Amino acid sequence: MRVAILSDIHANREAFDAVLEAVGKQAPDQLVLLGDLVGYGPDPVYVVEKAADLVEGGAFCIKGNHDEAVAASPNGMTENARTAIEWTRERLAAKHFDFLARLPLSLRSEDRLYVHASAERPEKWLYIRDMDAAERCLSASDARFIFCGHTHIPAIYYALPGSRPIHFSPLDNVAAPLSALRRHLIVVGAVGQPRDRNPAACFALLDTSRHEVTMVRVPYDHEETARKVQASGLPTWLGMRLKIGR
């Protein structure tokens, strides 16, 4: 089975379309969206409606913290994030709010758990940035594979049962092996706002028969997205960071 896993689209139409085109060429058996459809970017209506269409067609989609902030309240966010949330709210219709509000915090499929932030209290939006956070996440579920986003930086943590996880930084477009003896926590990077100093969009392609996962990088027209951010009145930094992958 082959599964394409996308996270942190952040209302970036150009990145989303480029990634979906790349995904289409891979023809995976399942498509999973790990949340944060909205926030930061200039095309929330397009992205939410595209995601809703994909879900109608059989894709999985879970809720991210920016999705919750739009549907509920932007507590604990940075000034730029709050500004973008309020801007987004002014452009969405009731059907968009309803779609975001109804998204689940996690989904389980066979031996795979999908969650936006961490399996440890998904509603708290905890970041997995080190081995301690990874260990707590793995301890919170018995799934063999946990897939998440939220940090915008691709990473793999793996561990033998009862041992502390080990961190691995996957190479772009190079398959990373998945051991049958270990459990894995895979942070899939970001479609719409990469933060690993590479402006190309990122998604994960899992191949269960080959026992591997690949972080696929997809160049897109980030200059156009940055132009739209500036024209929309959103904070200029939200467009500038797309150019440098920050």
Side-chain angles (χ1 to χ4, degrees):
M1 184 176 189
R2 299 165 76 244
V3 185
I5 306 159
L6 287 57
S7 190
D8 297 280
I9 298 158
H10 284 298
N12 186 332
R13 177 174 182 165
E14 288 72 33
F16 197 21
D17 281 350
V19 165
L20 288 177
E21 182 179 356
V23 168
K25 294 176 181 178
Q26 296 287 346
D29 303 290
Q30 181 69 57
L31 175 65
V32 181
L33 308 178
L34 294 184
D36 274 5
L37 303 175
V38 298
Y40 297 136
D43 286 300
V45 171
Y46 178 86
V47 169
V48 172
E49 292 184 351
K50 175 70 75 171
D53 289 344
L54 291 169
V55 170
E56 186 71 20
F60 295 159
C61 186
I62 61 176
K63 184 185 296 183
N65 56 307
H66 286 254
D67 306 323
E68 180 178 78
V70 164
S73 176
N75 294 326
M77 289 187 153
T78 65
E79 182 178 353
N80 281 341
R82 289 195 304 272
T83 298
I85 292 298
E86 295 302 328
W87 181 94
T88 299
R89 282 177 167 173
E90 294 173 359
R91 284 150 180 84
L92 298 185
K95 65 178 182 179
H96 305 128
F97 288 110
D98 184 63
F99 176 78
L100 294 174
R102 290 175 178 271
L103 292 174
L105 288 173
S106 64
L107 282 171
R108 179 79 178 252
S109 179
E110 299 177 351
D111 58 356
R112 303 178 297 276
L113 176 69
Y114 302 112
V115 62
H116 178 69
S118 174
E120 179 198 9
R121 297 182 296 167
E123 75 284 358
K124 295 298 184 181
W125 312 115
L126 304 172
Y127 287 93
I128 298 173
R129 291 172 169 153
D130 54 38
M131 260 85 79
D132 289 339
E135 184 173 27
R136 292 192 297 269
C137 177
L138 287 164
S139 296
S141 171
D142 64 355
R144 183 181 167 209
F145 301 101
I146 301 175
F147 291 89
C148 66
H150 199 40
T151 69
H152 299 217
I153 299 174
I156 298 175
Y157 297 87
Y158 59 92
L160 291 168
S163 65
R164 279 177 59 78
I166 297 172
H167 173 262
F168 172 72
S169 294
L171 298 175
D172 296 340
N173 304 308
V174 177
L178 302 173
S179 168
L181 300 177
R182 294 175 171 84
R183 298 180 64 215
H184 300 79
L185 168 58
I186 300 167
V187 186
V188 303
V191 170
Q193 196 188 86
R195 294 180 185 170
D196 59 347
R197 302 181 185 275
N198 181 347
C202 183
F203 75 95
L205 184 64
L206 171 70
D207 191 322
T208 61
S209 62
R210 296 175 64 90
H211 307 290
E212 63 186 29
V213 64
T214 305
M215 299 298 173
V216 183
R217 302 309 289 246
V218 183
Y220 74 97
D221 191 354
H222 51 75
E223 294 285 354
E224 172 62 10
T225 309
R227 184 197 65 77
K228 290 162 69 173
V229 167
Q230 185 170 12
S232 71
L234 285 163
T236 302
W237 168 241
L238 298 180
M240 291 295 296
R241 72 187 310 172
L242 299 177
K243 302 178 183 183
I244 57 176
R246 289 290 300 277

